[in-house]
Amino acid sequence: MKTDPSKSKAKAKGREVAIPGIAVSPGVAIGPVFDTSDPPAEAPRRRIAAEAIEAERHKLNAAIAFSRKQIGKLKTRIGVLPEEAQEEISPLLDAHLMMLGNSRLIRGARKRIEAELLGAETAVAAEAEGIIAAIQAIKDDDKAGLARRAAEVRDIARRLVRNLTATPFRSLKDLPEGCILVAEELTPADAALLDPSRIAGVATEEGGADGHTAIMLRALGIPAVLGAHGLTEAAERGDPAVLDGATGRVVLHPSAATLAEAKDRLAAFARERTKLSKLRRLPAETTDGEQVELQANLEIPQELPLIAQAGAQGIGLLRTEFLFMNREDLPDEDAQVEAYTQVVEAMEGQPVTIRVLDWGGEKDMEALAEGVVPVHAGGNPALGLRGLRMLLKRPELLEVQFAAVLRVAAAGADGNVRLLLPMVTVPEEVRQAREIYERVARRLRRRGERLPEKLPPLGVMIETPGAALAADAIALEADFFAIGTNDLAMYTLAVDRAEAEVSHLYDPLHPAVLRLVQFATEAALRLRMPVSICGEMAGNPLLTPLLLGLGVRTFSMNASAIPRVKQAVRALDIGDCARFARRVMEQSDPARIRELVAGFAEGVTERA
C-alpha cells in the first residue's frame, strides 16, 4: 500500500484517521490491517491470422472448461462454511457456471474470434466491455440490479482472461487470524474463500451494498465496509484499525477512546444479533395479539436462501423481469414454468405473488427491444407504454405468463400462488387482463392441463395517483392490492430519485403520498380484500407503527429488513398505532410528520 507524506506523518504521530465508506455488513471489527493485491488480468489487443481461428477456439474452450472446474472446487470449498452462507453462495456460483455455458458473453467472444480475428483473451475482454457498457447505459430505477449484472459479466470475463493468459489469482490462504482484510476490490469468488472464523472484517475501495460480494459477506456474517475511497492509500499492513459495518466507517490508528467505544459496540452488536436471530421462529404479532404478515420481495432466484434465513412468511413480490434479461429470445411457457416452480417449491407451501412482466422501453431486454416485440420507449418511458399497458398491446406475452403461472399453481398447494398486474391506472385494464386470464385457463383445460378448481387471485399494483384515487372502483375488479410506495411517491411528487438535482424532493412521508396510501388501503378494507405494502416503506421499522395504524397487515420487503420490522411489530399495540396514524394524517408538513415518526419510535424503544 502507498501513503502520501501527510498521512505518513499522521501515522508517525499515531494520529487517528477515519475513512468513510458504504455500510455493507453490520458488525464491529477490531484488529490489524492485512492488505492483499489482485494481480491485474490484462488482455492487450491481439490479432490472429485466419488459419489460427481453430486454435483460438480450442484455447477458449479449454479456458471455459478450466474455469468451470475452478468454480466446482469453490463449491466444494464452501462446504466448510456456515449453512446459511452455503445457501447464499452456492446459487451464485451456479449462476457463474451458467454464464460459462451458452451465454451472451461466450457466444459473442466466439463470434469475435471468427469475424474480427481476435485472440481469445482479447475477444472475451472486448465482448465483456460491450455488454457492461450496454448494461450501464440502461435508464432504470433498479440501479442495484444493473450493477449486479455488470459485476457478474466482469467477474466471469476476468476469470476467463486470467486462465487464458496464465495470470495468477489473488491468494487468501495466509490471512492472519483476527485481521481486517483491506483490498481495492473483492470478487464474489474471493469472498467465498474467506473463513469467517479467522477474519475480523473486510474493507475495500470499490463495491457497494447491493452487489454479490456484499450479499456474500452478509451471508458469512463478516463485518464489512465497501467503497471506502482512499483506504488503500492511507493504510499499511499491520496498522491497528476499527471497522464498523453498520455506520460504514474504518478508523486507522484508533485513539484509546475510539477503541473503548468500539469494544462496547462490539459487545452490544453481539447481544443484538443473538436477540434478532431468536425472532426468526417467533410470530409477527403485536402486544395485543394482532397477526401481521411479513413477506419478502424477490428480484432473482439466487436470493431465495436469504428469504429463508430471514424467516419470511412467503414472497409478496416476485419480479419476473429476470427471465427476460440478457437473452436474445423470449422465454417460452416451459421455461417460465421451470423458473416459477423453483421459487414456489423453495417456499414450501408459503404464498408466492408473481408479478407479470413490468417493462417499459427503458429496461434492457434484448428480445423485446430488438424487434421481437416492437415497442418504442418514447420521450418519457415512465409515462409511456409500460407495465400492463404494454402487455395489453402485446397480449401474447401476457398469455404465456398466465399459462405458466396457472400450470405452476396447479402443481403446488392450493392458494399459495397469486398473480399481480403492474402499472394499472383504470378498472378497464383489469377487466381486459381478467378476460385474457380466463381465456388462457379455458385453453389449458381443453389442452388437458390440470388447473386449480379456483383460479389463483389476480391482484393489482397501486403505484400511481390515478390508481390510488380510483382504488374503490379498481377494487371491484381485483382480488387484492399491493401498494408500491416507491413509484407512488415518484409519480405523486413528480420526482425521479435517480436525478441528483431533484432527488432531495422525494419523500414518502409527504402528506399527499400518505393520503393516497390511506385511500387505497381503506378502499380494499371496505371490501374485506387483502392489501399489502411492497415498497421501501414496508422495510423501514420506523414506519411500521404508521402503516399498521392505517390498517395495513401485510408487508413485503427486502429479506434483510424482516427481522427488525418483526422486532418493531412485536413491541407495538394496534390501538396506539391507530391513534398515532390519526395524528399523523392531520399534519400538512412533512418535517413535522418525520418528527412525530421519530418521537413515536423513541417512545416505543423506551417502553420496551
Side-chain angles (χ1 to χ4, degrees):
M1 294 181 180
K2 301 175 182 177
T3 57
D4 62 38
S6 63
K7 286 175 180 170
S8 295
K9 189 178 292 186
K11 289 176 184 177
K13 295 179 180 179
R15 187 181 302 166
E16 183 174 286
V17 178
I19 300 174
I22 300 169
V24 161
S25 181
V28 176
I30 303 172
V33 163
F34 188 87
D35 64 298
T36 177
S37 60
D38 196 19
E42 297 181 357
R45 191 169 182 85
R46 183 171 65 89
R47 303 299 298 264
I48 61 172
E51 55 268 24
I53 289 176
E54 191 58 37
E56 292 300 315
R57 283 178 183 157
H58 179 76
K59 187 177 177 181
L60 177 58
N61 290 339
I64 292 170
F66 190 55
S67 298
R68 293 179 67 86
K69 185 177 179 181
Q70 288 171 332
I71 293 175
K73 286 183 177 180
L74 275 174
K75 294 195 70 173
T76 301
R77 160 69 180 80
I78 66 173
V80 302
L81 299 179
E83 182 179 351
E84 290 176 352
Q86 291 183 48
E87 291 175 349
E88 172 56 37
I89 294 171
S90 185
L92 294 175
L93 294 180
D94 288 338
H96 279 206
L97 285 172
M98 288 179 63
M99 289 185 67
L100 287 167
N102 189 33
S103 67
R104 180 175 171 183
L105 174 64
I106 302 302
R107 292 195 312 270
R110 286 176 174 147
K111 287 179 183 177
R112 287 177 185 269
I113 290 173
E114 298 168 11
E116 301 177 34
L117 296 180
L118 296 179
E121 68 277 9
T122 308
V124 169
E127 184 63 22
E129 288 171 7
I131 295 172
I132 291 167
I135 292 171
Q136 292 173 338
I138 299 167
K139 294 180 179 179
D140 192 339
D141 284 343
D142 184 20
K143 302 296 183 186
L146 294 176
R148 281 196 298 268
R149 289 171 53 210
E152 284 180 353
V153 175
R154 187 179 294 111
D155 290 343
I156 290 298
R158 282 177 178 172
R159 180 174 293 278
L160 284 170
V161 170
R162 285 187 185 282
N163 289 330
L164 285 163
T165 58
T167 304
F169 286 78
R170 183 199 310 270
S171 176
L172 297 170
K173 290 180 180 178
D174 302 319
L175 296 179
E177 189 167 357
C179 74
I180 295 176
L181 174 63
V182 170
E184 287 191 8
E185 187 175 17
L186 206 65
T187 70
D190 292 331
L193 294 171
L194 297 177
D195 184 348
S197 67
R198 288 186 58 83
I199 190 169
V202 170
T204 68
E205 290 256 1
E206 304 298 328
D210 300 302
H212 287 315
T213 297
I215 292 172
M216 287 189 178
L217 291 169
R218 284 193 288 269
L220 289 167
I222 299 175
V225 174
L226 305 187
H229 301 303
L231 177 60
T232 57
E233 290 287 328
E236 289 182 350
R237 185 174 292 187
D239 282 351
V242 168
L243 178 151
D244 192 327
T247 62
R249 197 170 75 133
V250 181
V251 179
L252 303 172
H253 301 284
S255 66
T258 298
L259 198 58
E261 182 186 355
K263 289 178 179 177
D264 289 342
R265 290 203 311 276
L266 183 60
F269 180 79
R271 291 192 298 269
E272 178 71 5
R273 185 163 55 182
T274 300
K275 184 178 178 181
L276 286 176
S277 67
K278 292 178 180 178
L279 287 174
R280 177 178 176 180
R281 291 177 175 82
L282 294 177
E285 183 179 279
T286 62
T287 57
D288 54 333
E290 186 79 12
Q291 295 289 329
V292 179
E293 198 169 15
L294 302 183
Q295 300 180 333
N297 299 336
L298 184 68
E299 186 83 32
I300 53 176
Q302 286 87 344
E303 295 172 343
L304 281 168
L306 279 180
I307 289 175
Q309 177 184 335
Q313 297 167 275
I315 295 173
L317 176 62
L318 168 58
R319 298 179 173 97
T320 59
E321 289 75 42
F322 73 92
L323 280 166
F324 296 80
M325 295 288 194
N326 197 25
R327 58 184 299 154
E328 297 175 348
D329 58 348
L330 296 170
D332 62 18
E333 187 178 315
D334 289 339
Q336 294 194 42
V337 167
E338 182 179 356
Y340 305 147
T341 298
Q342 176 189 355
V343 175
V344 171
E345 288 182 348
M347 296 312 297
E348 298 179 338
Q350 291 183 317
V352 176
T353 300
I354 300 173
R355 187 182 70 186
V356 295
L357 175 64
D358 184 11
W359 182 75
E362 80 282 7
K363 295 184 180 177
D364 178 38
M365 298 184 192
E366 190 176 344
L368 297 177
E370 292 190 358
V372 175
V373 179
V375 178
H376 301 288
N380 192 335
L383 300 179
L385 198 59
R386 58 163 296 188
L388 186 59
R389 298 171 179 176
M390 189 275 285
L391 293 174
L392 291 176
K393 286 282 187 180
R394 302 287 183 250
E396 65 274 15
L397 293 173
L398 195 54
E399 289 172 3
V400 172
Q401 282 204 285
F402 280 162
V405 173
L406 285 169
R407 287 172 57 189
V408 172
D414 286 344
N416 70 329
V417 174
R418 306 191 306 175
L419 270 160
L420 186 58
L421 303 173
M423 193 64 180
V424 171
T425 53
V426 294
E428 178 58 26
E429 291 171 332
V430 187
R431 283 193 288 269
Q432 291 179 36
R434 191 176 292 278
E435 288 174 6
I436 296 172
Y437 186 43
E438 293 174 351
R439 184 171 70 241
V440 168
R442 290 193 297 270
R443 188 183 72 220
L444 290 177
R445 287 193 171 104
R446 287 195 302 270
R447 199 169 80 186
E449 298 282 354
R450 183 175 67 86
L451 299 186
E453 184 175 335
K454 185 177 181 182
L455 297 183
L458 190 64
V460 164
M461 289 283 292
I462 301 295
E463 49 193 336
T464 66
L469 293 172
D472 46 358
I474 292 175
L476 298 174
E477 307 294 337
D479 298 322
F480 65 94
F481 280 169
I483 303 175
T485 55
N486 297 350
D487 276 354
L488 183 60
M490 178 187 76
Y491 284 115
T492 302
L493 303 176
V495 171
D496 182 351
R497 289 184 297 168
E499 292 291 339
E501 302 218 352
V502 296
S503 60
H504 65 284
L505 297 173
Y506 179 89
D507 185 1
L509 290 180
H510 190 288
V513 177
L514 295 180
R515 286 166 188 163
L516 291 173
V517 170
Q518 181 185 42
F519 193 93
T521 301
E522 290 178 349
L525 295 179
R526 281 194 294 271
L527 294 181
R528 300 182 181 276
M529 190 175 81
V531 57
S532 67
I533 296 285
C534 60
E536 287 183 8
M537 290 178 71
N540 186 343
L542 293 178
L543 304 184
T544 303
L546 173 58
L547 295 174
L548 287 174
L550 292 176
V552 178
R553 296 293 182 270
T554 302
F555 299 70
S556 187
M557 65 199 77
N558 291 330
S560 60
I562 289 176
R564 294 194 181 279
V565 173
K566 183 183 285 188
Q567 186 179 48
V569 167
R570 291 177 58 84
L572 295 169
D573 175 273
I574 287 296
D576 291 343
C577 292
R579 287 186 286 274
F580 170 63
R582 284 196 293 271
R583 188 179 177 196
V584 167
M585 298 310 294
E586 291 171 353
Q587 308 301 316
S588 58
D589 181 7
R592 176 57 181 156
I593 292 174
R594 284 191 290 274
E595 287 177 8
L596 291 174
V597 166
F600 190 87
E602 185 177 347
V604 170
T605 301
E606 290 175 355
R607 291 195 298 273

